[in-house]
Amino acid sequence: MSQAELPRLTVIGTGYLGATHAICMASLGYDVVGLDVDDRKIQKLRSGEVPFFEPGLPELLAKTLESGRLRFTTSYAEAAEHGDVHFICVGTPQQPGLDACDLSYVEAAVRGLAPHLTRRCLVAGKSTVPVGTAPHLLGLLRELAPAGVEVELAWNPEFLREGFAVDDTLRPDRLVFGVTSEWARERLTAAFRPILDLGTPTVVTDLATAELVKMAANSFLATKISYINAMAEVCEATGADVRDLAQALAYDDRIGGRFLQPGLGFGGGCLPKDIRAFAHRAEEIGVGQAVSFLREVDAINRRRRSRTIDLVRELLGGRLDGARIACLGAAFKPNSDDIRDAPALDVARTMHGLGATVRVYDPAALDNARRMYPELRYGTSAMDVARDADVVVLLTEWAEFRQIDPTVLAQVVRRTRIVDGRHALDADVWRSAGWEYRALGRP
Ligand code: UDX
């Protein structure tokens, strides 16, 4: 397909998902306009700065800006004028105090774009939404767009992982096209041509299935993590070792070892809110029982956080107040600065609330953590926060924490006691260096 035949793309919402999608599609040769209502974000992107931590993305942004194929705007009129295919990539966070997700950003994006759509085009939703959202959005589009029925809607869920976002976007393990016409399918095919040419498996389906795929995938992953963490609870009661158990399960290739790492459990902007929104939506449509296990998956995951604090308390002889605790990690997972529903910060804040002096270090998420939780203390390195600590708690498994030399760390702490919340360290090495080592689900 020549450059002239490539559809022109817009990406609405330039957060983790949208910025990555816009930059990656421009790097594949598409002419892309990225839109956000947050002017500061747009200014940053225009000047070549990625507003969040994502390996490889700043380099790709620089390259694509230079190519002239990528522009950023806050104007819906400009986006509508440019795009043949408009990708909706705005967030769908959990509603405060509720399990349902907040669709107001998706709706605002459609309401912002639609009045400027004056010619035939495809709007493709990428945001994670409850099943049944698309027909409502299509109704809005057709009601508000001057082009009326010429505007079509497709659903194209996105499965990228933070920390691997560029690779997951350029070389996804599958594409899902939820469409209602051959034309929409053809448009999406044209919009992903270079990725399809890699032989990427593609599922073409209806809108409802496409909406469901993402919720189903994230629910499965969350369930797998909570499954192994439930086994950790059984191990704790029996003196068994969940690490060996997980390893033995992983050799069964029907089970597989991925997402079977026991520990502090899952967090982030997706898994926790998606399983809650899914359970909520299922209840609304009368099939709550079918996914009621997701409530248990959530409960197991929450217990990991309190059990981790129990381990710290045990090491401290029963009391947290007055103790000096070094927390290694704040991000919800390594290679990210994202602290949304981060288990690490949840644990740190709870221990602070219980009267401990908590000092936190994270290689990437410190600015975000400081802004959100100014009540905690922060340090400049693992060594720095560990100084005079009564206990060290590893909460996010960054590579640099795995590489810590226990004999060196032993020189700065007050007591050589460590809770490995992520099963990231070699227990034998730490114990032989004189540390009291504890991890969930291990003797
Ligand atoms: C997830 C999905 O993987 C992705 O497909 C979707 O598009 C968005 O949500 P992400 O939130 O970036 O991606 O993180 P992921 O790498 O999936 O990890 C989720 C959480 O599970 C992290 O908190 C991680 O620490 C935890 N986890 C993961 C475990 O506790 N154990 C594991 O074995 C794997």
Side-chain angles (χ1 to χ4, degrees), residues 156-223:
N156 166 231
E158 178 57 59
F159 304 99
L160 65 80
R161 297 159 300 166
E162 290 176 24
F164 303 92
V166 172
D167 211 49
D168 283 352
T169 305
L170 293 175
R171 281 170 289 277
D173 42 25
R174 79 290 214 185
L175 289 169
V176 177
F177 297 164
V179 292
T180 56
S181 74
E182 191 45 41
W183 180 78
R185 175 199 176 127
E186 179 279 318
R187 289 281 77 188
L188 280 179
T189 302
F192 286 97
R193 175 54 68 204
I195 297 174
L196 291 166
D197 285 348
L198 300 173
T200 307
T202 305
V203 178
V204 180
T205 184
D206 53 81
L207 292 173
T209 308
E211 289 171 318
L212 259 178
V213 171
K214 178 63 181 290
M215 291 279 189
N218 278 355
S219 295
F220 186 85
L221 295 172
T223 302

Side-chain angles (χ1 to χ4, degrees), residues 412-431:
V412 302
V413 296
R414 185 146 68 186
R415 302 290 300 269
T416 45
R417 299 187 280 215
I418 186 156
V419 171
D420 180 1
R422 293 290 183 180
H423 294 241
L425 307 173
D426 185 328
D428 294 339
V429 170
W430 281 72
R431 285 190 176 127

Side-chain angles (χ1 to χ4, degrees), residues 158-162 214 218 221 225 229 258-261 265-271 332-333 343 397 422:
E158 178 57 59
F159 304 99
L160 65 80
R161 297 159 300 166
E162 290 176 24
K214 178 63 181 290
N218 278 355
L221 295 172
I225 298 167
N229 284 331
R258 297 180 71 188
F259 278 72
L260 209 61
Q261 307 301 322
F266 58 82
C270 293
L271 261 47
F332 85 101
K333 67 172 189 181
E397 68 277 32
R422 293 290 183 180

Side-chain angles (χ1 to χ4, degrees), residues 275-286:
I275 61 169
R276 290 170 202 151
F278 192 17
H280 179 89
R281 182 68 182 139
E283 281 155 19
E284 277 179 349
I285 57 182

